[in-house]
Amino acid sequence: MSDITKTGFLNSAELKEAGRYPSEERLEKGPVAVIECCQNIPCNPCETACKYGAITVGDPITNLPILDESKCIGCGVCITKCPGLAIFVVDKSKEMARVSFPFEYLPLPEKGDTVKAVDRAGQYVCDAKVIRVNNAAANDCTPVVTIEVPKELGDDVRSIRRLNLPEEDREARLLEIDDWSAVPDDLIVCRCEEVTVGEIKKAIAEGARTVEGIKKRTRAGMGLCQGRTCVKLVSRILGSETGLKPDEIKPDTVRMPIKPVAFGVYKE
Ligand code: SF4
Ligand code: SF4
């Protein structure tokens, strides 16, 4: 099993093993939601979004959502309501699989475009054809893109590479930068808490020598995504500013997949 604290996601084999993936039989029938949410966080918009009653979070609200695949019609509404961008719709009823996913980057692709499909780790998987781009007002700025990929890749493809990234696009290459001295201070690294490169460098100048130390001083990594977007970048900046090598940089503390229980549980 992969280490989810390092990868940040379960792969399709792990989701299937955990019983958190629609059956192959259901996938072959037509579009169905695939809920890849794996943290016991207090969250349930997916449950309230589904008017077919196909998703249950229940009580307590920290339960993982459960899909009733027989009730799901694959409408995709839950994709747009999940703040964790953890829901997809997969359809294996045709010769090619169709995968629908949230895509909050501009520019959006257009129907008929050929795009680069990527897996959960953002790695290129195959070229794919765009079947649909749904950016209706009801989506509240979470467009849903549907692409067509070879059937055997339908469980692994989960997004596409951002479009039209010019070679000189500095943000696209942030993960490859080892020397951050020339990166503008006003560039935002932690998007949830809007923490900039300059604020992170200041925390390091003030003595922070771990990702956790930077987190405590700046709040980088404390937002909704819990560092999913920014922690690797913060590590890079720390390495650049201090000369620490990647394996010398202590990772931040991740939220453990545990949930509170009532005192009464301990009475016996
Ligand atoms: S895809 Fe539609 S029917 Fe299926 S769980 Fe999501 S909202 Fe409900
Ligand atoms: S993160 Fe998404 S899938 Fe998980 S409980 Fe919240 S809305 Fe549902």
Side-chain angles (χ1 to χ4, degrees), residues 10-236:
L10 295 175
N11 60 39
S12 56
E14 290 163 342
L15 287 161
K16 287 175 187 174
E17 199 181 320
R20 305 200 60 77
Y21 211 87
S23 65
E24 208 54 37
E25 190 190 359
R26 176 63 189 81
L27 287 158
E28 295 273 350
K29 271 190 191 157
V32 62
V34 178
I35 305 178
E36 304 197 358
C37 173
C38 55
Q39 286 191 342
N40 291 99
I41 52 173
C43 184
N44 71 351
C46 53
E47 180 178 41
T48 50
C50 181
K51 65 179 182 184
Y52 300 95
I55 302 178
T56 305
V57 173
D59 183 20
I61 194 176
T62 47
N63 289 339
L64 291 181
I66 293 170
L67 178 80
D68 181 338
E69 63 179 36
S70 66
K71 290 184 181 169
C72 174
I73 64 156
C75 67
V77 168
C78 52
I79 297 179
T80 67
K81 304 298 178 211
C82 170
L85 307 183
I87 305 182
F88 308 85
V89 167
V90 177
D91 176 5
K92 293 190 188 172
S93 64
K94 302 181 181 65
E95 199 179 324
M96 299 279 278
R98 291 187 173 189
V99 181
S100 301
F101 51 87
F103 191 73
E104 296 180 338
Y105 296 104
L106 294 175
L108 290 172
E110 286 181 16
K111 185 177 171 182
D113 283 355
T114 298
V115 290
K116 305 279 180 204
V118 299
D119 61 16
R120 295 173 180 84
Q123 299 299 320
Y124 171 77
V125 177
C126 61
D127 282 3
K129 188 174 162 198
V130 176
I131 300 299
R132 187 167 183 238
V133 178
N134 173 2
N135 193 17
N139 290 14
D140 195 17
C141 299
T142 298
V144 175
V145 175
T146 302
I147 56 173
E148 207 168 55
V149 296
K151 216 177 220 180
E152 66 276 14
L153 301 176
D155 294 334
D156 295 321
V157 164
R158 283 299 175 264
S159 191
I160 57 171
R161 222 170 246 171
R162 281 179 62 195
L163 305 181
N164 303 343
L165 283 177
E167 268 311 299
E168 65 277 12
D169 187 306
R170 57 191 175 153
E171 293 189 56
R173 293 186 292 126
L174 281 183
L175 278 172
E176 289 152 31
I177 295 176
D178 284 318
D179 178 5
W180 284 71
S181 54
V183 177
D185 275 354
D186 63 352
L187 186 67
I188 289 180
V189 172
C190 169
R191 294 197 287 171
C192 302
E193 296 291 328
E194 298 188 349
V195 182
T196 63
V197 169
E199 287 169 302
I200 291 167
K201 286 184 177 174
K202 183 165 174 276
I204 297 167
E206 287 171 358
R209 287 294 177 272
T210 59
V211 176
E212 189 67 22
I214 294 170
K215 187 176 182 178
K216 284 179 177 153
R217 283 174 167 87
T218 64
R219 292 191 59 80
M222 290 175 95
L224 273 181
C225 88
Q226 285 289 293
R228 189 180 56 171
T229 310
C230 66
V231 157
K232 284 191 177 142
L233 299 176
V234 171
S235 304
R236 289 275 176 150

